[in-house]
Amino acid sequence: LLGYIGIDTIIQQMRKKTMKVGFDFNIMIVGHSGLGKSTLVNTLFKSQVSRRSSGWTCERIPKTVEIKSVSHVIEEGGVKMKLTVIDTPGFGDQINNENCWEPVSKYISEQYEKFLKEEMNIARKKRIPDTRIHCCLYFISPTGHSLRQLDVEFMKRLSSVVNLVPVIAKSDTLTPEEKNEFKQRVRKELETSGIEFYPQKEFDEDIEDKNENNKIREAMPFAVVGSDKEYQVNNKRVLGRKTPWGVVEVENPNHCEFAQLRDFLIRSHLQDLKEVTHNIYYETYRAKRLNDNGG
Ligand code: GDP
Ligand code: MG
């Protein structure tokens, strides 16, 4: 009856729209001080992510909280992404670490609140700038033993308000055997403590999702190494850390899992991280806020 309608051009239409407006993607980094968080922010931007990035801004958010963000606009095939990494000050130095998650948790809520305010404006912006945290990387100390009570406590709180991705910091300090054992132990401890990290099983939409995410869940927490220094290896300049045994190459998947983590966040799961943030965490915040207000 009908000829070609052109429904299949929807992808091109969406692409065109996205190209016009671009999108935001925000990663937050949290953990004990000295675990290499600030270094990893630089690693991320110095690694392949940003080889072609342009126009970068660095803004300081109020000093008292000392939460600092770095943004780059990355453009590929005409699509612009504003990638922001939020670096938080390390904790754990004080004798009393009670409530040390408060500034982090407050920052996350504030971004939901900002978005909510914009949504409720009578003159709503066509595109609301998105500062919500799409993913929170939690740095675990490479002790080889077990998680600290503080880590458990912190992650429990985070996992209820944001996509939580635990990572093992400074993994070059562990042997491959120690690393694998530690990963297993951490996964077990997270499970025992009832901490669910991203990608959560309950959000797998079909069998394909499930199979792909199972593989990722089994590889987590990714064991990373960070560096902002480059070395010459086989006539190529690589990001790495010099050790007495040679250079640990940060972006070499045989040396550590930094590249895997980066591809997981910025390539394969970016859209899903944004959707879960909007549909689950933001929605929970929004419903609660509107309920509280309604009395
Ligand atoms: P932050 O307090 O978590 O922000 O930690 P920094 O990024 O300031 O790093 C603390 C120290 O650890 C610095 O001397 C870094 O050079 C070092 N460091 C950072 N990342 C790594 C890593 O992956 N492996 C090792 N061995 N050292 C690291
Ligand atoms: Mg730091």
Side-chain angles (χ1 to χ4, degrees):
L1 191 69
L2 284 169
Y4 172 70
I5 301 174
I7 304 170
D8 61 346
T9 65
I10 181 98
I11 304 290
Q12 280 135 271
Q13 296 167 37
M14 286 164 90
R15 188 181 153 84
K16 217 166 133 195
K17 282 241 151 99
T18 311
M19 277 168 81
K20 274 196 194 133
V21 294
F23 64 93
D24 298 305
F25 189 61
N26 309 313
I27 301 172
M28 187 181 216
I29 304 196
V30 176
H32 208 275
S33 66
L35 286 180
K37 294 182 300 299
S38 301
T39 307
L40 200 90
V41 176
N42 292 327
T43 313
L44 203 58
F45 282 121
K46 280 201 160 188
S47 82
Q48 274 168 0
V49 167
S50 59
R51 293 270 148 84
R52 275 169 298 163
S53 76
S54 64
W56 76 284
T57 54
C58 179
E59 46 186 303
R60 271 204 91 105
I61 289 165
K63 258 206 189 97
T64 45
V65 240
E66 282 189 77
I67 290 176
K68 202 176 89 175
S69 77
V70 188
S71 301
H72 280 230
V73 174
I74 299 164
E75 191 175 335
E76 260 180 15
V79 181
K80 279 199 196 94
M81 163 171 86
K82 184 179 173 199
L83 172 65
T84 301
V85 182
I86 295 97
D87 188 14
T88 63
F91 54 83
D93 303 329
Q94 286 76 29
I95 295 169
N96 184 1
N97 284 302
E98 212 182 312
N99 301 338
C100 65
W101 47 79
E102 250 166 24
V104 171
S105 164
K106 185 162 160 262
Y107 184 89
I108 293 170
S109 307
E110 279 168 0
Q111 312 316 310
Y112 292 146
E113 184 65 29
K114 241 195 226 172
F115 199 89
L116 181 63
K117 287 244 166 73
E118 290 284 358
E119 271 192 338
M120 309 227 293
N121 256 340
I122 292 180
R124 211 154 37 142
K125 287 188 183 117
K126 208 168 163 200
R127 179 181 164 274
I128 300 172
D130 193 0
T131 60
R132 295 170 300 180
I133 306 297
H134 300 114
C135 172
C136 179
L137 298 184
Y138 189 91
F139 274 46
I140 294 168
S141 177
T143 57
H145 308 299
S146 49
L147 291 174
R148 302 165 208 235
Q149 194 49 43
L150 187 59
D151 292 329
V152 173
E153 200 77 48
F154 213 129
M155 280 191 272
K156 228 180 218 165
R157 279 161 205 272
L158 285 174
S159 65
S160 64
V161 293
V162 73
N163 285 314
L164 170 74
V165 171
V167 302
I168 294 172
K170 295 186 172 182
S171 69
D172 52 319
T173 60
L174 299 169
T175 65
E177 297 78 40
E178 286 171 336
K179 191 186 79 185
N180 286 334
E181 237 169 75
F182 189 46
K183 274 182 154 200
Q184 264 177 34
R185 185 164 318 163
V186 170
R187 275 201 306 272
K188 205 169 273 166
E189 283 186 21
L190 290 173
E191 198 182 335
T192 320
S193 313
I195 297 167
E196 286 207 45
F197 53 84
Y198 178 85
Q200 298 92 327
K201 280 197 190 98
E202 54 179 308
F203 303 146
D204 291 344
E205 273 167 14
D206 50 33
I207 191 83
E208 195 189 332
D209 261 14
K210 194 177 158 179
N211 289 339
E212 189 194 349
N213 287 341
N214 270 344
K215 269 189 224 137
I216 288 163
R217 285 187 282 262
E218 279 157 25
M220 281 170 80
F222 294 122
V224 300
V225 175
S227 170
D228 47 16
K229 289 205 182 67
E230 293 191 347
Y231 293 95
Q232 198 82 20
V233 176
N234 302 328
N235 290 322
K236 258 174 61 189
R237 292 198 70 74
V238 297
L239 277 174
R241 300 193 74 85
K242 207 174 178 134
T243 73
W245 306 276
V247 174
V248 179
E249 299 168 37
V250 167
E251 291 179 84
N252 183 337
N254 298 321
H255 290 198
C256 80
E257 295 161 353
F258 169 77
Q260 233 174 306
L261 172 72
R262 181 196 56 204
D263 292 351
F264 164 61
L265 298 178
I266 293 171
R267 206 165 284 161
S268 63
H269 282 65
L270 186 141
Q271 186 56 26
D272 189 61
L273 281 160
K274 283 172 71 84
E275 281 173 17
V276 174
T277 300
H278 186 74
N279 298 334
I280 310 286
Y281 297 110
Y282 173 66
E283 197 51 35
T284 306
Y285 178 87
R286 184 178 157 277
K288 186 172 177 302
R289 264 285 271 110
L290 299 184
N291 243 338
D292 286 353
N293 260 9

PDB file of all heavy atoms in Angstrom, residues 22-25 49 72-76 79-84 266 270:
ATOM      1  N   GLY A  22      25.277  19.122  20.990  1.00  0.00           N
ATOM      2  CA  GLY A  22      26.348  18.496  21.746  1.00  0.00           C
ATOM      3  C   GLY A  22      25.803  17.923  23.043  1.00  0.00           C
ATOM      4  O   GLY A  22      24.595  17.957  23.283  1.00  0.00           O
ATOM      5  N   PHE A  23      26.666  17.387  23.878  1.00  0.00           N
ATOM      6  CA  PHE A  23      26.175  16.878  25.153  1.00  0.00           C
ATOM      7  C   PHE A  23      27.259  16.930  26.214  1.00  0.00           C
ATOM      8  O   PHE A  23      28.439  17.094  25.918  1.00  0.00           O
ATOM      9  CB  PHE A  23      25.635  15.450  24.995  1.00  0.00           C
ATOM     10  CG  PHE A  23      26.669  14.446  24.596  1.00  0.00           C
ATOM     11  CD1 PHE A  23      27.349  13.719  25.555  1.00  0.00           C
ATOM     12  CD2 PHE A  23      26.972  14.226  23.260  1.00  0.00           C
ATOM     13  CE1 PHE A  23      28.305  12.791  25.200  1.00  0.00           C
ATOM     14  CE2 PHE A  23      27.928  13.306  22.894  1.00  0.00           C
ATOM     15  CZ  PHE A  23      28.595  12.586  23.863  1.00  0.00           C
ATOM     16  N   ASP A  24      26.805  16.821  27.464  1.00  0.00           N
ATOM     17  CA  ASP A  24      27.723  16.868  28.608  1.00  0.00           C
ATOM     18  C   ASP A  24      27.925  15.470  29.173  1.00  0.00           C
ATOM     19  O   ASP A  24      26.994  14.657  29.188  1.00  0.00           O
ATOM     20  CB  ASP A  24      27.114  17.725  29.733  1.00  0.00           C
ATOM     21  CG  ASP A  24      26.893  19.161  29.320  1.00  0.00           C
ATOM     22  OD1 ASP A  24      27.859  19.787  28.874  1.00  0.00           O
ATOM     23  OD2 ASP A  24      25.750  19.647  29.457  1.00  0.00           O
ATOM     24  N   PHE A  25      29.121  15.214  29.653  1.00  0.00           N
ATOM     25  CA  PHE A  25      29.371  13.965  30.370  1.00  0.00           C
ATOM     26  C   PHE A  25      30.302  14.268  31.537  1.00  0.00           C
ATOM     27  O   PHE A  25      31.363  14.862  31.353  1.00  0.00           O
ATOM     28  CB  PHE A  25      29.994  12.925  29.436  1.00  0.00           C
ATOM     29  CG  PHE A  25      30.079  11.553  30.052  1.00  0.00           C
ATOM     30  CD1 PHE A  25      28.931  10.890  30.455  1.00  0.00           C
ATOM     31  CD2 PHE A  25      31.311  10.927  30.241  1.00  0.00           C
ATOM     32  CE1 PHE A  25      28.999   9.622  31.033  1.00  0.00           C
ATOM     33  CE2 PHE A  25      31.381   9.662  30.813  1.00  0.00           C
ATOM     34  CZ  PHE A  25      30.232   9.014  31.204  1.00  0.00           C
ATOM     35  N   VAL A  49      41.780  10.043  24.742  1.00  0.00           N
ATOM     36  CA  VAL A  49      40.512  10.756  24.796  1.00  0.00           C
ATOM     37  C   VAL A  49      40.624  12.126  24.172  1.00  0.00           C
ATOM     38  O   VAL A  49      39.759  12.576  23.444  1.00  0.00           O
ATOM     39  CB  VAL A  49      40.075  10.950  26.264  1.00  0.00           C
ATOM     40  CG1 VAL A  49      38.947  11.953  26.354  1.00  0.00           C
ATOM     41  CG2 VAL A  49      39.647   9.645  26.858  1.00  0.00           C
ATOM     42  N   HIS A  72      37.012  19.525  29.018  1.00  0.00           N
ATOM     43  CA  HIS A  72      37.510  19.629  27.651  1.00  0.00           C
ATOM     44  C   HIS A  72      36.327  19.430  26.717  1.00  0.00           C
ATOM     45  O   HIS A  72      35.465  18.607  27.003  1.00  0.00           O
ATOM     46  CB  HIS A  72      38.487  18.494  27.331  1.00  0.00           C
ATOM     47  CG  HIS A  72      39.862  18.703  27.846  1.00  0.00           C
ATOM     48  ND1 HIS A  72      40.967  18.557  27.046  1.00  0.00           N
ATOM     49  CD2 HIS A  72      40.319  19.019  29.068  1.00  0.00           C
ATOM     50  CE1 HIS A  72      42.056  18.768  27.768  1.00  0.00           C
ATOM     51  NE2 HIS A  72      41.689  19.041  28.999  1.00  0.00           N
ATOM     52  N   VAL A  73      36.341  20.152  25.631  1.00  0.00           N
ATOM     53  CA  VAL A  73      35.345  19.862  24.606  1.00  0.00           C
ATOM     54  C   VAL A  73      36.014  18.969  23.573  1.00  0.00           C
ATOM     55  O   VAL A  73      37.076  19.305  23.052  1.00  0.00           O
ATOM     56  CB  VAL A  73      34.798  21.139  23.958  1.00  0.00           C
ATOM     57  CG1 VAL A  73      33.876  20.797  22.797  1.00  0.00           C
ATOM     58  CG2 VAL A  73      34.069  21.976  24.993  1.00  0.00           C
ATOM     59  N   ILE A  74      35.430  17.809  23.360  1.00  0.00           N
ATOM     60  CA  ILE A  74      36.006  16.853  22.427  1.00  0.00           C
ATOM     61  C   ILE A  74      35.057  16.731  21.248  1.00  0.00           C
ATOM     62  O   ILE A  74      33.844  16.598  21.431  1.00  0.00           O
ATOM     63  CB  ILE A  74      36.190  15.488  23.117  1.00  0.00           C
ATOM     64  CG1 ILE A  74      37.151  15.641  24.309  1.00  0.00           C
ATOM     65  CG2 ILE A  74      36.718  14.442  22.142  1.00  0.00           C
ATOM     66  CD1 ILE A  74      37.109  14.479  25.263  1.00  0.00           C
ATOM     67  N   GLU A  75      35.606  16.805  20.051  1.00  0.00           N
ATOM     68  CA  GLU A  75      34.732  16.732  18.888  1.00  0.00           C
ATOM     69  C   GLU A  75      35.153  15.586  17.986  1.00  0.00           C
ATOM     70  O   GLU A  75      36.332  15.425  17.676  1.00  0.00           O
ATOM     71  CB  GLU A  75      34.787  18.049  18.119  1.00  0.00           C
ATOM     72  CG  GLU A  75      33.716  18.127  17.069  1.00  0.00           C
ATOM     73  CD  GLU A  75      33.665  19.478  16.363  1.00  0.00           C
ATOM     74  OE1 GLU A  75      34.099  20.487  16.949  1.00  0.00           O
ATOM     75  OE2 GLU A  75      33.199  19.490  15.228  1.00  0.00           O
ATOM     76  N   GLU A  76      34.188  14.764  17.625  1.00  0.00           N
ATOM     77  CA  GLU A  76      34.454  13.655  16.710  1.00  0.00           C
ATOM     78  C   GLU A  76      33.326  13.560  15.714  1.00  0.00           C
ATOM     79  O   GLU A  76      32.158  13.513  16.110  1.00  0.00           O
ATOM     80  CB  GLU A  76      34.555  12.326  17.493  1.00  0.00           C
ATOM     81  CG  GLU A  76      35.987  11.905  17.742  1.00  0.00           C
ATOM     82  CD  GLU A  76      36.067  10.595  18.506  1.00  0.00           C
ATOM     83  OE1 GLU A  76      35.048   9.887  18.595  1.00  0.00           O
ATOM     84  OE2 GLU A  76      37.151  10.287  19.004  1.00  0.00           O
ATOM     85  N   VAL A  79      30.297  15.680  16.219  1.00  0.00           N
ATOM     86  CA  VAL A  79      29.563  15.641  17.485  1.00  0.00           C
ATOM     87  C   VAL A  79      30.452  16.164  18.605  1.00  0.00           C
ATOM     88  O   VAL A  79      31.589  15.735  18.741  1.00  0.00           O
ATOM     89  CB  VAL A  79      29.083  14.213  17.823  1.00  0.00           C
ATOM     90  CG1 VAL A  79      28.298  14.201  19.120  1.00  0.00           C
ATOM     91  CG2 VAL A  79      28.233  13.647  16.690  1.00  0.00           C
ATOM     92  N   LYS A  80      29.908  17.106  19.362  1.00  0.00           N
ATOM     93  CA  LYS A  80      30.692  17.703  20.446  1.00  0.00           C
ATOM     94  C   LYS A  80      30.301  17.122  21.794  1.00  0.00           C
ATOM     95  O   LYS A  80      29.126  17.081  22.136  1.00  0.00           O
ATOM     96  CB  LYS A  80      30.430  19.220  20.491  1.00  0.00           C
ATOM     97  CG  LYS A  80      31.219  19.996  19.474  1.00  0.00           C
ATOM     98  CD  LYS A  80      31.271  21.465  19.900  1.00  0.00           C
ATOM     99  CE  LYS A  80      31.689  22.359  18.754  1.00  0.00           C
ATOM    100  NZ  LYS A  80      30.548  22.916  18.021  1.00  0.00           N
ATOM    101  N   MET A  81      31.305  16.728  22.559  1.00  0.00           N
ATOM    102  CA  MET A  81      31.046  16.286  23.926  1.00  0.00           C
ATOM    103  C   MET A  81      31.862  17.160  24.864  1.00  0.00           C
ATOM    104  O   MET A  81      33.055  17.349  24.659  1.00  0.00           O
ATOM    105  CB  MET A  81      31.466  14.832  24.112  1.00  0.00           C
ATOM    106  CG  MET A  81      31.615  14.447  25.582  1.00  0.00           C
ATOM    107  SD  MET A  81      31.856  12.697  25.874  1.00  0.00           S
ATOM    108  CE  MET A  81      33.623  12.546  25.691  1.00  0.00           C
ATOM    109  N   LYS A  82      31.184  17.691  25.889  1.00  0.00           N
ATOM    110  CA  LYS A  82      31.933  18.411  26.919  1.00  0.00           C
ATOM    111  C   LYS A  82      32.177  17.433  28.060  1.00  0.00           C
ATOM    112  O   LYS A  82      31.260  17.066  28.787  1.00  0.00           O
ATOM    113  CB  LYS A  82      31.145  19.624  27.400  1.00  0.00           C
ATOM    114  CG  LYS A  82      31.934  20.445  28.411  1.00  0.00           C
ATOM    115  CD  LYS A  82      31.131  21.667  28.842  1.00  0.00           C
ATOM    116  CE  LYS A  82      31.830  22.406  29.966  1.00  0.00           C
ATOM    117  NZ  LYS A  82      30.893  23.283  30.675  1.00  0.00           N
ATOM    118  N   LEU A  83      33.410  16.978  28.150  1.00  0.00           N
ATOM    119  CA  LEU A  83      33.768  16.019  29.197  1.00  0.00           C
ATOM    120  C   LEU A  83      34.326  16.778  30.393  1.00  0.00           C
ATOM    121  O   LEU A  83      35.293  17.531  30.268  1.00  0.00           O
ATOM    122  CB  LEU A  83      34.816  15.029  28.666  1.00  0.00           C
ATOM    123  CG  LEU A  83      35.431  14.082  29.695  1.00  0.00           C
ATOM    124  CD1 LEU A  83      34.390  13.131  30.273  1.00  0.00           C
ATOM    125  CD2 LEU A  83      36.575  13.269  29.064  1.00  0.00           C
ATOM    126  N   THR A  84      33.695  16.577  31.541  1.00  0.00           N
ATOM    127  CA  THR A  84      34.172  17.237  32.751  1.00  0.00           C
ATOM    128  C   THR A  84      34.559  16.181  33.784  1.00  0.00           C
ATOM    129  O   THR A  84      33.806  15.234  34.008  1.00  0.00           O
ATOM    130  CB  THR A  84      33.078  18.159  33.329  1.00  0.00           C
ATOM    131  OG1 THR A  84      32.745  19.131  32.338  1.00  0.00           O
ATOM    132  CG2 THR A  84      33.544  18.866  34.584  1.00  0.00           C
ATOM    133  N   ILE A 266      33.687   5.998  28.432  1.00  0.00           N
ATOM    134  CA  ILE A 266      33.522   7.022  27.415  1.00  0.00           C
ATOM    135  C   ILE A 266      33.072   6.454  26.088  1.00  0.00           C
ATOM    136  O   ILE A 266      32.518   7.152  25.263  1.00  0.00           O
ATOM    137  CB  ILE A 266      34.837   7.838  27.296  1.00  0.00           C
ATOM    138  CG1 ILE A 266      35.022   8.610  28.604  1.00  0.00           C
ATOM    139  CG2 ILE A 266      34.823   8.795  26.118  1.00  0.00           C
ATOM    140  CD1 ILE A 266      36.327   9.288  28.740  1.00  0.00           C
ATOM    141  N   LEU A 270      28.651   5.116  27.788  1.00  0.00           N
ATOM    142  CA  LEU A 270      28.375   6.532  28.032  1.00  0.00           C
ATOM    143  C   LEU A 270      26.875   6.853  28.042  1.00  0.00           C
ATOM    144  O   LEU A 270      26.356   7.437  28.986  1.00  0.00           O
ATOM    145  CB  LEU A 270      29.102   7.379  26.985  1.00  0.00           C
ATOM    146  CG  LEU A 270      29.044   8.878  27.176  1.00  0.00           C
ATOM    147  CD1 LEU A 270      30.386   9.489  26.820  1.00  0.00           C
ATOM    148  CD2 LEU A 270      27.966   9.506  26.326  1.00  0.00           C
TER     149      LEU A 270
END
